Amino acid sequence: MKKWVLFSTILVMLFSLVACSGAGNSSSNQTDSVKELVIATGADPTSLDPRKTWSGPGYSINSHIFEPLVFRKIVDGKVTIEGVLAEKYENVDDLTWKFTLKDGVKFHNDTPLTAESAKFTLETIMSPDFNTPMKTWTNDIAEITTEGDLTLIIKTKTPTRGLLSSLTQIPIVEPGAVKELGDQYNVKPVGTGPYKIVEYKANNSVKLERFEDYWGEPGVSDKIEFRIMPENAVRLAALQRGDVHVAENISADKIETVKKDENLEIFITETLRVNMMVANFKNKWMAEQKFREAISLAIDRQSLVANILGGNTIPASSVSPPGTIGFNEDLNVFPYDPDKAKELLKEVGYDGSAIKMGAPTGRYAMDRQIGEAVAGMLQEVGIHVELETLEFSSYVPKMDEGAYDFYYIGLADLTINPNTHWDGFYHSANAEGGYSNPEVDALMEKAIQTIDDAEVTGIYKQIQEILYKDLPTFPLYYEPHMVGVRKGVKGFEPRLDEYVIVRDAYFEE
């Protein structure tokens, strides 16, 4: 554990070097011959409208096209927020935030950024008629108004911790383009970022080019292309051939292959993501506490980490990742005891009914293999599992519609504030799996109104203890981000939030 913490500290320092803002430093080594950077990513973004994007690849791509009002920065292990499109911001009173936007910022269609742009973005996300998981970031907003062209006022329902952190996840869209393009905005988005869209082919590629009228430091490469390659072997082969310059999610069993290749480098970084299984309480067995306990006891988390992930991470002991506010370091890794699991299955009278299980392919490190291993572990204790693995763009809709009794997902605490991380799984009003515990609801509602970090830490630790026992989800391990890079790539740094931001990177033969 000490080694992991030391490594985390080093990575936090690296994380601070690259930000999603216009303030990033471009390389002084750019030459006329540096034209294009190609990145292989494991999953389709499904939409380039940032009001709908809910996946790591989508965040990475959109971070080049769009910008938020504010973005997080981590220095010496401490999280701070800095302005991006907001020139300044202030907490006027317990319920009111005032944002003054930068003057002279233009969208890619030459429309000026105004406070109305930000108001429109937030209000469409909040609208009951707009279907998006992004609502979790706006749940605490009561009212949005503007004062002139560049002043935005946000009022919250209660004193709200984490509002700024939530706003880091909401890039600003151009209202006129949204209305004019309709559904086409999903593939032809208009933002304020250093790159603009050239072409998006679903499940194939996203091509960007530098926006020459960008308000801040320009992007270094003339063009950036993200190629969607769900298969691990395909991404690695493309990297080895030089067809791509950066490849996400190198499989653990190929790490040594990359290390031995004189043309490649490997970055293995800790992340803010907990990879877990989620129980759907609509299934009568999943709704049984002892059945869930049996499932947890059947899963050998240490084996998953050692044998499938090559020891490149650690097993999970909580629904939160280390480094977040209130992380409960007193919880142990969930125990593995298949004999006890079998006893509990007998106690609840499990009749061998099929448990429909889902897992994605290509989105996370070794995700298909993890899904297959977990299914095998459950079958070994006598649980009848029907496993389906799909590419992420096909998997998410089935997951969202409740097609699975038990499914695999990675949940990232990108805001470092557990309420937003937990809301869609543990608060009864929004829990995707149908979990409901009034005590957890009350504690989460208390936490969101508790501004003091020291005070809220105790509340968050208490919630983690309850979830550890209730098992609405089954934390497996903390996702390692394993990225392969051609040695000619300059200016690339890994990030704790898994964003692959290459606005300051370029390739040089």
Side-chain angles (χ1 to χ4, degrees):
M1 178 64 80
K2 290 182 179 178
K3 182 179 178 182
W4 179 263
V5 172
L6 176 60
F7 189 40
S8 173
T9 302
I10 294 170
L11 292 172
V12 163
M13 293 173 67
L14 286 173
F15 177 80
S16 68
L17 296 176
V18 184
C20 185
S21 73
N25 294 322
S26 61
S27 171
S28 60
N29 294 325
Q30 184 185 6
T31 68
D32 292 339
S33 63
V34 177
K35 294 296 181 184
E36 186 171 14
L37 194 67
V38 184
I39 300 95
T41 187
D44 189 85
T46 68
S47 171
L48 292 182
D49 184 339
R51 301 169 302 161
K52 301 175 183 177
T53 302
W54 194 252
S55 72
Y59 291 146
S60 292
I61 295 169
N62 279 342
S63 68
H64 298 80
I65 305 170
F66 296 93
E67 295 167 307
L69 295 172
V70 294
F71 196 67
R72 59 189 170 272
K73 185 177 182 180
I74 301 179
V75 178
D76 296 333
K78 295 182 179 180
V79 179
T80 58
I81 302 295
E82 62 181 9
V84 181
L85 294 180
E87 183 73 39
K88 60 181 180 179
Y89 48 90
E90 59 179 314
N91 196 186
V92 177
D93 57 46
D94 287 347
L95 303 178
T96 308
W97 284 86
K98 180 180 179 180
F99 298 84
T100 303
L101 276 58
K102 284 184 168 72
D103 194 8
V105 176
K106 290 185 178 182
F107 286 97
H108 300 154
N109 62 358
D110 207 38
T111 301
L113 170 75
T114 67
E116 283 294 336
S117 311
K119 182 174 184 287
F120 173 85
T121 302
L122 292 165
E123 288 185 340
T124 52
I125 291 172
M126 294 165 61
S127 171
D129 299 326
F130 194 79
N131 183 24
T132 176
M134 299 285 282
K135 291 184 191 299
T136 191
W137 311 125
T138 61
N139 278 342
D140 301 303
I141 296 176
E143 181 185 25
I144 305 168
T145 57
T146 62
E147 294 178 1
D149 288 341
L150 298 176
T151 302
L152 181 77
I153 308 295
I154 296 179
K155 288 188 175 293
T156 56
K157 299 171 185 175
T158 64
T160 302
R161 72 172 296 107
L163 177 68
L164 286 179
S165 294
S166 293
L167 293 177
T168 65
Q169 293 304 116
I170 304 178
I172 304 305
V173 302
E174 203 284 285
V178 170
K179 294 169 184 175
E180 178 183 345
L181 293 170
D183 289 341
Q184 283 295 297
Y185 196 82
N186 293 319
V187 297
K188 297 179 180 179
V190 177
T192 62
Y195 287 86
K196 61 183 180 180
I197 190 74
V198 173
E199 181 184 59
Y200 169 32
K201 292 182 179 178
N203 295 304
N204 184 290
S205 64
V206 179
K207 295 181 180 180
L208 310 175
E209 67 180 12
R210 188 168 51 220
F211 177 43
E212 299 300 342
D213 290 331
Y214 180 58
W215 62 270
E217 290 290 332
V220 175
S221 294
D222 295 321
K223 298 179 180 180
I224 297 173
E225 180 179 354
F226 289 83
R227 294 182 186 171
I228 293 92
M229 298 178 171
E231 291 297 327
N232 294 338
V234 173
R235 289 195 303 279
L236 177 57
L239 185 67
Q240 290 172 315
R241 290 192 304 267
D243 294 344
V244 303
H245 306 120
V246 179
E248 289 191 273
N249 291 344
I250 298 296
S251 59
D253 59 341
K254 298 299 181 184
I255 296 298
E256 288 304 313
T257 299
V258 175
K259 288 181 178 179
K260 291 176 181 178
D261 191 321
E262 62 181 11
N263 296 311
L264 306 180
E265 293 181 89
I266 188 75
F267 290 89
I268 303 174
T269 65
E270 180 185 353
T271 72
L272 297 169
R273 186 177 301 276
V274 185
N275 288 37
M276 59 178 61
M277 305 300 300
V278 180
N280 185 341
F281 280 59
K282 290 181 181 178
N283 178 283
K284 72 172 186 177
W285 296 111
M286 286 296 173
E288 287 277 351
Q289 173 70 29
K290 287 187 177 180
F291 187 80
R292 296 196 305 279
E293 290 175 8
I295 285 179
S296 186
L297 290 166
I299 299 173
D300 187 348
R301 293 162 174 83
Q302 296 279 5
S303 175
L304 295 178
V305 167
N307 298 325
I308 298 180
L309 297 169
N312 290 303
T313 185
I314 57 173
S317 57
S318 171
V319 296
S320 273
T324 52
I325 296 172
F327 172 71
N328 194 332
E329 67 280 354
D330 295 329
L331 296 176
N332 296 317
V333 173
F334 293 85
Y336 169 60
D337 189 339
D339 291 334
K340 178 64 175 177
K342 292 175 184 178
E343 292 177 11
L344 289 174
L345 291 175
K346 288 181 181 178
E347 284 186 37
V348 298
Y350 172 60
D351 60 4
S353 297
I355 300 299
K356 295 179 180 179
M357 177 177 160
T361 295
R363 171 60 188 90
Y364 311 107
M366 307 296 283
D367 45 12
R368 177 178 58 80
Q369 293 88 340
I370 291 291
E372 291 171 347
V374 170
M377 291 171 181
L378 299 191
Q379 289 173 354
E380 283 189 10
V381 300
I383 298 174
H384 178 197
V385 176
E386 294 179 354
L387 173 65
E388 179 177 65
T389 60
L390 295 171
E391 290 185 10
F392 199 65
S393 59
S394 300
Y395 176 68
V396 170
K398 294 199 69 173
M399 183 184 73
D400 289 344
E401 71 186 22
Y404 304 117
D405 304 313
F406 193 54
Y407 63 88
Y408 174 88
I409 195 69
L411 193 58
D413 190 353
L414 298 178
T415 64
I416 327 293
N417 274 287
N419 270 79
T420 50
H421 172 60
W422 292 344
D423 189 67
F425 290 87
Y426 309 124
H427 194 287
S428 59
N430 303 303
E432 289 188 11
Y435 171 69
S436 179
N437 183 326
E439 185 179 6
V440 170
D441 289 350
L443 287 169
M444 287 183 67
E445 288 158 10
K446 181 179 179 181
I448 198 67
Q449 299 180 51
T450 303
I451 306 301
D452 182 73
D453 282 354
E455 184 179 352
V456 83
T457 291
I459 300 173
Y460 284 147
K461 285 187 175 183
Q462 187 178 351
I463 295 171
Q464 288 169 75
E465 289 171 1
I466 296 171
L467 297 176
Y468 187 92
K469 296 175 183 177
D470 282 1
L471 292 167
T473 61
F474 303 75
L476 301 177
Y477 52 86
Y478 304 111
E479 168 83 354
H481 200 209
M482 299 181 282
V483 182
V485 177
R486 298 288 298 183
K487 284 191 176 176
V489 173
K490 311 295 183 184
F492 171 78
E493 296 288 354
R495 296 171 56 96
L496 288 174
D497 60 5
E498 303 167 72
Y499 282 34
V500 175
I501 297 180
V502 292
R503 54 154 295 146
D504 294 330
Y506 64 98
F507 179 71
E508 185 175 73
E509 290 284 1

